[in-house]
Structures are given as C-alpha cells and as structure tokens.
Amino acid sequence: MKIIQLEYFLAIVKYNNFTQAAQFLHISQPSLTATIKKMEADLGYDLFTRTTKDIKITEKGIQFYNYAVDLVQNYHQTMEKMHDLNISEVPKIKFSILESTNQWVSQIITTHRSTFPNQTYQISEVHDQAIILEHLLNFETHLALTNEQITHEDIQSIPLYEESYVLLTPQNAFKQQRTIIIKSLPLILPSKGLQVRKHLDDYFMRMNIHPNIVIEADRFEAATNFVHRGLGYAVIPRFYYQSFNANNLDAIEIKPKLGRTIFINYYKKRKHSERVLSLVDHCKDYWNVIK
C-alpha cells in the first residue's frame, strides 16, 4: 500500500465526503472512489459504509485510521529531514513569525545559536491564522507566532506576552501627549483580512467609532513610511515601535486602550527535536513565561 493511498483515505475522513476530499486532493471523485475500493479489497474489510445520503467510517476503519495517521506523519517527517540533510547535517528550524516580532526574535536566535552554533533557520512571515494552522499540521513549520490563540486540540498555543497598540505620529505632532483618542484622525491601517485589522475593526465597533481611514497597507513597514511622509497616523503594535523604521517618530497610547496577546504555537503530535524545544524555552525565558 502506498502513502498516497493513505493520504486519500485520511482526506475522506477529514471531510466525511468523497466530493470535497477529491476537490482537496485535486483528483476526480471516480478515481478517489476506485482507490478506496481497491484498498478495501486488499485489506479484506470495509473502511466506510456508504448510503445515498452520507458515509460513515467503520470500527475497523477507525483502527486503520489511527495507524494511517502515524504512518503519514512519519513519512512526511522523514522526507523533511532527508531534504534538509541534503543541505545541512542539521535540519533547519522553520519558524513563522509576525512582522512586529522581528526585533526580539533576532535576539532569541542569537542566544539559541550560542548553544547550537551549527543550527540554521528558515524564518517566514505569515499573518493568516488559517494558513499558520495548515502549515503546522502539514509539517511545513515547526513553530509559529500568532496574535491570537490557536484553539485546536493538536496545537500547543502558549501565551508569551501582551502588548498595546499605539498611534505612530511624526515627532511632537501632539506635543508629547501620553494618550490620544483616534476617533477623527486620518488613519493608516492594515488591510482588510489581516488579523490586526480584525482586532481594530472589533475595537471600532465596540467604541462606536467610524474611523477616518486614508490608507490601507499590508505591512507595518509601509504604514510607517507613510507616517514619515505626513500622510496620516498608523496604528501599530507597541513593540514594532522599537524597529529601526520607526526612528524619529512618536508612539502615543490609544485611549481607550487597545491591545493583543502574542502566542507561540507548535504541533503537539510532532516529535520535535531538542533544538526546537530549546528555541521554545528561549522564547518563554525571554518573556518570563512560567514553565
């Protein structure tokens, strides 16, 4: 039996529907059905019971599923390690971060490399939580930072720290005010669909604010450049203000306060190396998270 057949079977269990599973796998439904029938013939028992209305996994199918999950996970982990070992003797750690976390993550990696000097890393920025979850479950990422908790039974989601959102302005634009109400100000906000924008939209709704949005941007770096140009005021996370790009600008606390929590996430069912778990501990130690 081939790994691809097991993946076909797992897709049907996931979607509980042959049509949706076939669409996910990018194959035809008749081809998927034929594959499952051949598997059942080879095994000597049914994996599913089928009616015109639905399908149900059999008791033996459930037992087969548990073995199939382990086999597929081990296969992907092995293939990943073999690919990495083609490049380096030590598999690289794949770490998905947020744009606002660049500053402190660079310090963490510096410390981590002092313990593991031959370790390499692949750092990516992903802000869509659905994509982050998919990458974790599909072994494409070891660790991921998110600005909301991932509520999935197979994901360990650990809160690291809380930070407020601030209003980024040209220096002395508001004469050293400590807090500010942003109701009528020309704002530079993240684009629709980004998690930070969802936080802000929820805030505006709760405060009954109709924001004056002059520019939408996908990255804080772009928003900060627009502030430098005097095109408006950007709402950014407090720790992004530490970045080089925000030099010569002021950060004013928003009133009423608006904030978020940053989480580090990993797949609990994946057998992580000592090096990956050490990187998690470094992040927790940096933020004094109780272990």
Side-chain angles (χ1 to χ4, degrees):
M1 190 171 295
K2 298 179 180 179
I3 288 293
I4 193 169
Q5 292 175 301
L6 299 180
E7 291 181 325
Y8 285 4
F9 168 71
L10 295 180
I12 296 170
V13 175
K14 177 180 179 180
Y15 290 99
N16 198 40
N17 184 287
F18 273 81
T19 301
Q20 292 180 21
Q23 291 173 348
F24 169 75
L25 295 166
H26 302 291
I27 63 173
S28 68
Q29 183 176 334
S31 177
L32 179 59
T33 301
T35 298
I36 297 302
K37 286 182 177 179
K38 185 178 186 310
M39 289 174 65
E40 291 175 327
D42 292 341
L43 291 166
Y45 53 81
D46 290 339
L47 296 170
F48 302 98
T49 58
R50 307 163 179 81
T51 68
T52 55
K53 293 184 178 180
D54 61 10
I55 62 171
K56 293 181 180 178
I57 189 169
T58 64
E59 286 300 317
K60 288 186 177 180
I62 292 172
Q63 295 180 51
F64 181 80
Y65 171 82
N66 292 329
Y67 288 118
V69 168
D70 288 340
L71 285 170
V72 171
Q73 287 180 352
N74 288 334
Y75 169 78
H76 283 293
Q77 288 180 350
T78 300
M79 292 304 295
E80 177 186 282
K81 289 177 181 178
M82 294 306 98
H83 174 75
D84 287 346
L85 288 174
N86 188 42
I87 302 171
S88 168
E89 291 184 3
V90 179
K92 60 178 172 286
I93 296 176
K94 299 174 183 177
F95 195 1
S96 169
I97 69 172
L98 303 172
E99 184 186 2
S100 60
T101 64
N102 279 312
Q103 181 87 2
W104 67 264
V105 167
S106 65
Q107 298 177 46
I108 294 294
I109 290 177
T110 300
T111 304
H112 190 256
R113 276 183 59 82
S114 67
T115 305
F116 305 102
N118 63 339
Q119 182 61 58
T120 60
Y121 309 81
Q122 178 179 306
I123 307 297
S124 59
E125 284 186 16
V126 184
H127 297 86
D128 186 313
Q129 191 149 304
I131 294 176
I132 290 172
L133 176 59
E134 180 182 348
H135 285 180
L136 287 169
L137 296 177
N138 289 337
F139 311 103
E140 297 174 44
T141 301
H142 292 96
L143 306 172
L145 298 177
T146 58
N147 52 26
E148 281 193 349
Q149 184 176 19
I150 295 181
T151 54
H152 188 285
E153 61 182 357
D154 294 329
I155 298 298
Q156 185 71 44
S157 193
I158 304 168
L160 291 179
Y161 63 93
E162 296 182 358
E163 67 175 331
S164 60
Y165 288 106
V166 296
L167 189 71
L168 196 64
T169 76
Q171 280 188 328
N172 300 317
F174 293 92
K175 298 181 180 179
Q176 299 182 338
Q177 282 183 230
R178 299 183 112 183
T179 61
I180 194 167
I181 297 173
I182 62 175
K183 186 173 183 178
S184 59
L185 297 176
L187 298 178
I188 302 166
L189 299 183
S191 301
K192 283 282 189 182
L194 298 179
Q195 197 63 52
V196 172
R197 179 59 181 273
K198 292 177 183 177
H199 291 170
L200 298 178
D201 286 344
D202 288 344
Y203 174 81
F204 294 141
M205 184 175 295
R206 292 197 312 270
M207 297 296 112
N208 194 28
I209 294 174
H210 299 284
N212 175 21
I213 304 172
V214 294
I215 297 176
E216 294 177 298
D218 287 345
R219 292 178 56 82
F220 296 130
E221 180 181 9
T224 303
N225 287 335
F226 292 138
V227 175
H228 279 294
R229 294 288 183 179
L231 296 173
Y233 310 113
V235 179
I236 65 168
R238 160 64 71 179
F239 285 106
Y240 184 77
Y241 182 61
Q242 298 175 345
S243 71
F244 174 79
N245 196 43
N247 282 353
N248 302 316
L249 297 174
D250 289 337
I252 307 174
E253 291 287 344
I254 296 170
K255 183 180 178 181
K257 189 174 181 179
L258 171 62
R260 67 177 184 173
T261 303
I262 301 299
F263 294 81
I264 188 167
N265 306 272
Y266 60 87
Y267 188 19
K268 289 189 287 188
K269 292 185 176 181
R270 181 173 185 171
K271 185 173 177 57
H272 290 290
S273 69
E274 175 195 358
R275 294 170 179 240
V276 172
L277 296 177
S278 173
L279 186 56
V280 174
D281 286 340
H282 275 71
C283 292
K284 292 165 67 175
D285 290 342
Y286 185 87
W287 294 107
N288 296 314
V289 176
I290 298 175
K291 298 180 181 178

